[in-house]
């Protein structure tokens, strides 16, 4: 086994916190008001950062699973993801009934498991199932050749098919955009590219990376602020997951995190907590549907004015994240001591 790359754990922890953060905008009413105040304008810039959560997760998957091949146990390992999804979704359903008094029957919950609606954030699991099953094929294509030009061809082709249409088709169709919905493949290959050429990335000067990254990000921030100022935030293909803006910012964030100066040896409680949260990101992600629902139900009553809610963002995000983290930790312990341990015992 190779040494653990704590930079990837850091990316995953940042991504899961970004999930809860970007959902503040969704649940606070940000998308329903005119962007006219300084706080609202800051919200458009923060969205540019936090919308990268899903891309960063997929890029981390490409980085970590780029060597996976199809074997007797590969498909069965997907069972852990499905079990976590089912358990968390049912707890989510119970929580909505007992705490929020929603009228969802047990049959609604069961059918909701099939269409990924019992937990409204379950769409990610639906996407991940397809991506996971495709990974041996994606890896086989990548490792068909070790030529860097071949790998660049894959990355450039993915970029053209999945992300560039959002930039070049603003004033009319120039590039084919039929494939943009398959954007997870593009992010997966980006992560795999960074893993393959990690040693070359390490040679990039931090000052140069910060300068160029900062310049690009400032330009995108000004662009998105000017575009949305004076009206309701415009959710377009340019700032959606297949958009060039999240694509660029995701690359910037991923590269910056890869340059973090982690030492090879473990550093006590910090590394332990980092790895622990990193390993629970899917559970936290799914539980945040319940914690968001509870927190924002009471928060909206406490602060009815949408603009006034923005100053509470750090507090509300931290509360929802902490609740989801605690629930995830409890469920992970129970599953580890029961089902997962039993499965490991049978395999051994």
């Amino acid at each position: 086994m190779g040494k653990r790359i704590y930079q990837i754990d850091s990316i995953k922890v940042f991504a899961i916190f970004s999930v809860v953060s970007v959902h503040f905008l969704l649940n606070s009413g940000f998308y329903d008001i005119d962007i006219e105040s300084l706080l609202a304008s800051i919200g458009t810039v923060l969205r540019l950062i936090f919308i990268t959560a899903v891309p960063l997760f997929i890029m981390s998957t490409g980085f970590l699973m780029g060597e996976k091949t199809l074997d007797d146990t590969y498909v069965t390992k997907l069972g852990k993801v499905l079990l976590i999804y089912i358990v968390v979704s049912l707890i989510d359903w119970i929580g909505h009934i007992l705490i929020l008094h929603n009228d969802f029957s047990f049959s609604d919950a069961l059918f909701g498991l099939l269409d990924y609606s019992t937990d409204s954030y379950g769409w990610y699991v639906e996407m991940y199932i397809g991506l996971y099953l495709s990974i041996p094929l994606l890896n086989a294509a990548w490792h068909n050749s070790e030529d860097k030009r071949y790998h660049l061809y894959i990355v450039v082709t993915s970029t053209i098919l999945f992300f560039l249409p959002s930039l070049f088709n603003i004033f009319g169709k120039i590039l084919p955009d039929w494939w943009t919905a398959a954007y997870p493949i593009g992010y997966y290959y980006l992560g795999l590219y960074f893993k393959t050429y990690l040693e070359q990335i390490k040679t990039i000067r931090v000052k140069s990376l910060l300068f160029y990254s900062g310049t690009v990000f400032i330009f995108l921030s000004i662009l998105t602020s000017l575009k949305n100022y004076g009206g309701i935030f415009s959710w377009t293909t340019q700032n959606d997951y297949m958009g060039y803006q999240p694509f660029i910012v995701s690359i910037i964030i991923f590269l910056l995190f890869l340059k973090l100066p982690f030492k090879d040896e473990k550093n006590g409680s910090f590394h332990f907590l980092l790895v622990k949260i990193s390993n629970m990101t899917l559970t936290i992600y799914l539980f945040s549907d319940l914690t968001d629902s509870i927190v924002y139900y009471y928060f909206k009553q406490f602060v009815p004015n949408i603009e006034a809610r923005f100053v509470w963002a750090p507090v509300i995000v931290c509360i929802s994240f902490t609740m989801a983290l605690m629930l995830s930790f409890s469920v992970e312990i129970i599953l580890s001591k029961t089902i997962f341990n039993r499965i490991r015992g049978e395999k051994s």
Side-chain angles (χ1 to χ4, degrees), residues 60-297:
S60 298
T61 300
F63 192 100
L64 295 172
M65 299 189 67
E67 303 298 325
K68 296 292 183 181
T69 57
L70 186 62
D71 56 30
D72 294 338
T73 63
Y74 181 80
V75 176
T76 59
K77 289 179 181 178
L78 187 60
K80 181 178 180 180
V81 173
L82 296 178
L83 178 62
I84 290 174
Y85 163 68
I86 292 171
V87 170
V88 174
S89 294
L90 291 178
I91 295 175
D92 189 314
W93 168 69
I94 294 172
H96 276 85
I97 291 178
L98 297 180
I99 300 175
L100 300 175
H101 309 292
N102 289 343
D103 186 19
F104 296 136
S105 67
F106 183 62
S107 61
D108 291 334
L110 292 181
F111 282 112
L113 289 175
L114 299 177
D115 67 4
Y116 305 91
S117 63
T118 300
D119 186 313
S120 64
Y121 299 162
W123 71 268
Y124 183 86
V125 176
E126 182 179 12
M127 178 278 296
Y128 184 78
I129 291 172
L131 179 63
Y132 184 89
L133 294 175
S134 302
I135 283 175
L137 303 176
L138 298 175
N139 290 347
W142 183 265
H143 295 294
N144 182 60
S145 172
E146 299 304 317
D147 190 338
K148 186 176 182 179
R149 292 173 300 177
Y150 173 76
H151 293 156
L152 282 173
Y153 171 79
I154 293 178
V155 172
V156 171
T157 300
S158 298
T159 302
I160 293 173
L161 290 178
F162 307 136
F163 306 110
L164 288 189
S166 66
L167 175 62
F168 287 97
N169 293 356
I170 294 177
F171 303 108
K173 181 175 286 192
I174 298 175
L175 293 177
D177 59 4
W178 193 91
W179 285 91
T180 54
Y183 66 86
I185 296 175
Y187 284 122
Y188 180 87
Y189 273 134
L190 272 177
L192 182 48
Y193 181 87
F194 292 145
K195 174 61 179 298
T196 304
Y197 299 100
L198 181 60
E199 294 304 316
Q200 295 182 25
I201 292 173
K202 290 180 179 179
T203 64
I204 299 175
R205 295 180 58 187
V206 175
K207 289 184 179 180
S208 298
L209 180 60
L210 286 173
F211 173 77
Y212 290 112
S213 298
T215 302
V216 172
F217 180 75
I218 290 173
F219 173 78
L220 291 177
S221 298
I222 294 174
L223 184 66
T224 190
S225 297
L226 292 176
K227 178 178 176 59
N228 290 286
Y229 189 79
I232 295 176
F233 183 86
S234 178
W235 198 318
T236 66
T237 56
Q238 292 99 58
N239 54 46
D240 207 343
Y241 294 133
M242 70 288 294
Y244 74 92
Q245 294 177 7
F247 173 72
I248 293 174
V249 178
S250 297
I251 293 174
I252 289 173
I253 293 174
F254 205 92
L255 287 174
L256 289 173
F257 270 96
L258 285 180
K259 299 297 290 184
L260 288 178
F262 279 99
K263 296 181 179 179
D264 293 340
E265 67 272 10
K266 294 183 179 180
N267 188 19
S269 58
F270 173 75
H271 282 74
F272 173 81
L273 183 62
L274 181 69
V275 172
K276 197 70 176 178
I277 297 176
S278 173
N279 290 338
M280 294 192 302
T281 49
L282 175 63
T283 315
I284 297 171
Y285 180 93
L286 293 172
F287 262 128
S288 66
D289 174 62
L290 175 60
T291 60
D292 279 352
S293 298
I294 296 171
V295 169
Y296 289 102
Y297 175 79

